[in-house]
Amino acid sequence: MSRVLIIFILLISSNLIGAQNNDFKSIVLEKSTSVPIEGAIVSVEKTILSTKTDDRGMFYFENVPYGEHVVTVVKEAYQTKFFLIKSEEGTRIVVGKVEMDLTKDEAERRKDLRKKTAKEEAEKIKEAKKAKKEKDKLLAKKLKKLKKENTIDVVYDSIPETPKVTFTATQYKYAEILGVPVENLTNNELYEFIDDWMGITYLMGGETREGIDCSSFTQRLSTKVYDRYIERTAEKQYDSKYTDKFTEQTNLKEGDLIFFEGVGQQTDQVTHVGIYLNNDRFVHSTSVRDGGVKGVKVSNLKDAFWNKRFICGGRRTD
């Protein structure tokens, strides 16, 4: 009994060894167009292996028994394709593209279809040209009639030329200093004045290019640029009935006065004044050496030193 069992196991082992196999895959294409063929039935004859190509024309087999096999590829409207594969131990099955020829009837059908399609397209083009010709003819007729009997009054105005906007070198310079587009700096006279006084040293009570203080600078700028005479000191400019005061920095506009406390003096009174420009920047004459120098300069209202001492903005109404 044990001897029979051993022989049975050996037979099974032998069959399993003989059943070792390979896998292979490939793609099926239409020969005349190289278009992938979907749904072609691919079979390995005398085995249970059979499948269909996918929408890319691909197929795949695994566990192909060792030996030579005939592979058939069948698809309606195509001539059946036959080819031979050999599955061996230690080798891979590599199959290139499988190309299928159309049947004679299918080739004739497609030829007739192409002719029919070309004829239909030619007819459509012909009809379109005919319709266009008729339309052009009708429009020409209408035009001729309208030239004689135009009932609509049409007036033609010349289009005014848009003036070309040019900017000065000074405007470009201060646009970069303020960090804004040059188009924002329309008051060239303001920036020419600032540039002319830029770097003049600070001098308490000074009113000239030898030295100038904050309120004298704002007074000179207002007179020259805005043709507006304002008071001589920062405190009087602040107290003036013509100064409309506000505390919201977001309301500041170019040309507004801005007032500070405790600049140069330990007091909560107005001790300093400047002129607001753009993008939180203002111009003033100061004894504070922010940036390393004192005098006429452009400073940032958001800097901790100035923001802490800011009292309000002031817009002149006179």
Side-chain angles (χ1 to χ4, degrees):
M1 177 68 179
S2 59
R3 184 177 178 184
V4 172
L5 182 60
I6 292 170
I7 293 171
F8 180 69
I9 293 171
L10 288 173
L11 286 172
I12 292 174
S13 300
S14 176
N15 287 335
L16 288 174
I17 293 169
Q20 290 179 350
N21 42 53
N22 280 321
D23 58 0
F24 83 98
K25 61 183 176 179
S26 188
I27 183 170
V28 179
L29 305 174
E30 185 177 289
K31 187 174 182 179
S32 58
T33 62
S34 295
V35 172
I37 300 175
E38 180 182 0
I41 299 173
V42 186
S43 302
V44 180
E45 298 299 328
K46 296 185 179 180
T47 73
I48 62 172
L49 301 177
S50 184
T51 188
K52 284 187 177 182
T53 54
D54 61 18
D55 57 353
R56 299 169 298 164
M58 301 291 295
F59 68 89
Y60 173 74
F61 287 117
E62 58 183 3
N63 300 326
V64 180
Y66 288 155
E68 286 189 342
H69 302 282
V70 175
V71 180
T72 61
V73 186
V74 179
K75 172 73 175 178
E76 186 180 358
Y78 293 92
Q79 298 179 31
T80 300
K81 188 77 174 182
F82 300 91
F83 62 94
L84 186 68
I85 62 170
K86 189 175 183 180
S87 178
E88 293 181 325
E89 185 178 1
T91 63
R92 292 177 56 202
I93 302 173
V94 180
V95 178
K97 60 185 177 182
V98 178
E99 294 181 319
M100 298 187 74
D101 291 307
L102 295 169
T103 62
K104 186 176 180 180
D105 289 344
E106 178 64 13
E108 287 296 327
R109 188 189 71 80
R110 292 194 185 185
K111 184 178 179 182
D112 292 342
L113 182 60
R114 285 195 296 270
K115 285 182 179 179
K116 183 181 177 181
T117 303
K119 186 177 180 181
E120 289 175 351
E121 288 297 323
E123 287 294 330
K124 287 180 182 178
I125 293 171
K126 186 178 179 181
E127 289 296 324
K129 286 182 177 179
K130 184 179 178 181
K132 185 179 183 302
K133 188 175 180 180
E134 290 294 329
K135 186 178 179 181
D136 291 345
K137 187 176 179 181
L138 180 62
L139 285 174
K141 231 168 149 184
K142 289 280 186 186
L143 179 61
K144 187 176 181 180
K145 186 177 180 181
L146 286 171
K147 284 182 177 179
K148 292 181 179 179
E149 306 172 359
N150 194 10
T151 57
I152 304 297
D153 293 328
V154 182
V155 178
Y156 300 94
D157 288 333
S158 59
I159 301 173
E161 290 187 10
T162 304
K164 186 178 180 181
V165 179
T166 56
F167 300 99
T168 66
T170 302
Q171 285 170 297
Y172 280 109
K173 175 181 176 181
Y174 282 89
E176 185 174 352
I177 290 172
L178 302 182
V180 297
V182 68
E183 292 82 2
N184 289 14
L185 308 187
T186 57
N187 191 344
N188 186 53
E189 187 177 3
L190 169 63
Y191 292 96
E192 291 290 353
F193 178 89
I194 293 170
D195 200 53
D196 186 47
W197 281 82
M198 186 64 69
I200 296 298
T201 191
Y202 175 85
L203 179 65
M204 175 66 78
E207 299 180 338
T208 69
R209 298 181 69 83
E210 297 300 317
I212 191 167
D213 64 16
C214 64
S215 57
S216 180
F217 177 74
T218 54
Q219 184 185 55
R220 274 182 173 273
L221 188 153
S222 296
T223 302
K224 174 68 175 174
V225 177
Y226 297 107
D227 195 24
R228 179 190 298 129
Y229 180 82
I230 63 175
E231 296 75 20
R232 172 62 183 84
T233 67
E235 189 173 5
K236 286 183 178 180
Q237 291 172 14
Y238 176 83
D239 289 333
S240 172
K241 65 179 181 178
Y242 299 112
T243 300
D244 184 11
K245 294 183 279 293
F246 52 91
T247 57
E248 288 294 328
Q249 293 184 10
T250 54
N251 291 336
L252 286 166
K253 294 182 179 179
E254 185 181 271
D256 286 343
L257 296 167
I258 44 177
F259 299 100
F260 301 88
E261 65 182 6
V263 179
Q265 304 174 45
Q266 295 300 319
T267 175
D268 58 0
Q269 301 299 312
V270 173
T271 59
H272 189 64
V273 64
I275 298 284
Y276 185 77
L277 298 176
N278 208 304
N279 195 27
D280 299 318
R281 273 48 169 203
F282 65 99
V283 63
H284 57 152
S285 179
T286 176
S287 61
V288 178
R289 294 179 178 272
D290 61 328
V293 294
K294 65 178 182 177
V296 178
K297 66 177 70 175
V298 173
S299 297
N300 192 331
L301 187 57
K302 295 301 181 185
D303 286 349
F305 180 87
W306 297 110
N307 200 43
K308 180 181 179 180
R309 291 165 174 79
F310 173 80
I311 298 175
C312 67
R315 190 164 298 150
R316 296 293 289 203
T317 59
D318 53 340

